[in-house]
Amino acid sequence: MAEGVGEEKKKFSIWDLPDVPMGQVPPHLELQRSRVSCNKDAPIHTESIQYSGAYASMGIDNSSRLDRFSNNFRVEVVQLNKDDMEFDMIGIDAAIANSFRGILIAELPTMAIEKVLIANNTSIIQDEVLAHRLGLVPIRVDPRLFEYLSENDQPNEKNTIVFKLHVQCKRGRPRITVKLDALKWLPNGSELVKETRNATSDSSSKPETYTYFGCSQETIPEFVKNPIIPKYPDIIIAKLGPGQEIELEAHAVKGIGKTHAKWSPVATAWYRMLPELRIDCNCRRRATVARPRVCTLCRECIRGDDWEKRVALRPVKDNFILKILEEKCERVITELS
Amino acid sequence: MEHGSFTDNSAATFSLTDEDHTIANAVRFTLNQDPRVTFCGYSIPHPSEARVNIRVQTTGDPAREVLKDACQNLMLMCRHVRSTFDKAIEDFKASNAVKAMKIDSLDSSGDDSEESE
């Protein structure tokens, strides 16, 4: 190392020191910048160094330019099923990853039952409880084929899906359980007739119903072979005793999770940082971690006395494992495209 | 929407309605990356009201332009993320399909199965 200044003022540049790499952040600072260190008492260096002038005294430009981001950013899909998905995003910051997570949960539109017109309900399940349960039912349909329904619009085939439920348990029969497969799709719109005060209405004209379907939804090409049904037909809606009956019509509209959680397309979405475990040992045989992904950061490995020196638990700050559990995984992917 | 001074337009507070942490944190992140920015931050005045105040102070450039640039950068970043994501999904599906076909070709003896590359 350079000596302290004596009589003569020696100008030396920090770049002359042998262990400072040119144009790069030195290794200990790089560690601080890109990894969280999970120590025994608490994790340190958790915040990400975003400020563009952070390493200005070293002559390093910390500002992220789009080309650098494009070069370094990678996505690796680990698992892709019909109902859930796990993937890694490498090279992105926590702020953006969290925004994606928030958007997945709250701002992707889906279809869910909003209005329930109950004609007859003599079961022990109250009307509002029944309506609430129907609202939470996931419907297997692509919401991009529909438009939003606002207050002033009339419900028509472009913004509403109509379902009908009519079950009764006859006297003398055992109790029945009403499952979702009893919910029938009505592609032609509502069948409940509105009461009109107009006594002079022509009896041969079509009675006015609660929806105004111009054409049958069956004619829309996407629905020709795939009828709209609830995703899981074995969800229990209600239970009926002898002599009880439920007759209702449910209208489903498009909405986002922010308004009500029933419109959230995902069961949940979460992310975490990929943990990196480093085992430093002075012995000749080196140990490496077999499956770092499975690490849950429980810190058991650094609990013992000596282990702390030997095991360094360091989540990588820009490597995120995003796990999405959802009803319609494909739809999220195509929604993003 | 923008609260600043008429004489000095390098520092301003932008008040956005109907927004929350989702966009505010992401914009704050991209603003920080811009070398023209000396200070940036966001706050939510009250959690019941959907309003976000983003404060930007720059080294002389008008704060409005800097914010616009930051939003553009964010849009480009998201677009890049989207395309990378799509490609990753396709690669994954293709590699899975190839794996499935390889298993098939191992089972069926001597048959040549075509692989789509």
Side-chain angles (χ1 to χ4, degrees), chain A residues 102-110 148 255-265:
Chain A
I103 291 175
L104 275 170
I105 293 179
E107 300 194 33
L108 282 184
T110 27
Y148 285 99
I256 55 175
K258 242 195 209 174
T259 331
H260 192 283
K262 71 186 176 193
W263 276 299
S264 174

Side-chain angles (χ1 to χ4, degrees), chain A residues 50 52 63-64 69 80 99 336, chain B residues 22 28 32-33 35 77 82:
Chain A
Q50 299 164 1
S52 61
S63 75
S64 107
F69 170 73
L80 179 60
S99 294
L336 285 174
Chain B
T22 307
R28 183 196 57 91
N32 244 327
Q33 304 290 316
M77 243 199 266
R82 193 204 264 187

Side-chain angles (χ1 to χ4, degrees), chain A residues 50-52 62-64 66 69-70 73 75 77-78 80 85 87 93 95-96 99-100 103 330 333 336-337, chain B residues 18 20 22 25-26 28-29 32-35 37-38 74 76-77 80-82 84-86 88-89 92-93:
Chain A
Q50 299 164 1
Y51 181 50
S52 61
N62 194 25
S63 75
S64 107
L66 196 61
F69 170 73
S70 318
F73 180 65
V75 172
V77 180
V78 171
L80 179 60
M85 165 175 189
F87 62 96
D93 191 75
I96 317 268
S99 294
F100 283 139
I103 291 175
E330 291 274 340
I333 297 164
L336 285 174
S337 60
Chain B
D18 276 342
D20 58 353
T22 307
N25 202 13
R28 183 196 57 91
F29 170 71
N32 244 327
Q33 304 290 316
D34 194 332
V37 162
T38 54
L74 186 59
L76 292 173
M77 243 199 266
H80 180 73
V81 168
R82 193 204 264 187
T84 318
F85 183 72
D86 286 341
I89 297 275
F92 183 78
K93 283 197 192 156

Side-chain angles (χ1 to χ4, degrees), chain B residues 11-75:
Chain B
T13 304
F14 299 91
S15 188
L16 310 174
T17 44
D18 276 342
E19 294 296 342
D20 58 353
H21 300 276
T22 307
I23 192 167
N25 202 13
V27 166
R28 183 196 57 91
F29 170 71
T30 40
L31 269 174
N32 244 327
Q33 304 290 316
D34 194 332
R36 300 174 284 177
V37 162
T38 54
F39 175 82
C40 74
Y42 79 94
S43 73
I44 303 207
H46 194 279
S48 306
E49 185 191 2
R51 178 182 286 270
V52 162
N53 290 344
I54 303 185
R55 173 86 186 159
V56 184
Q57 278 171 215
T58 70
T59 56
D61 284 9
R64 188 182 310 178
E65 302 301 318
V66 175
L67 185 68
K68 269 201 263 189
D69 288 343
C71 290
Q72 288 278 25
N73 276 351
L74 186 59
M75 267 196 341

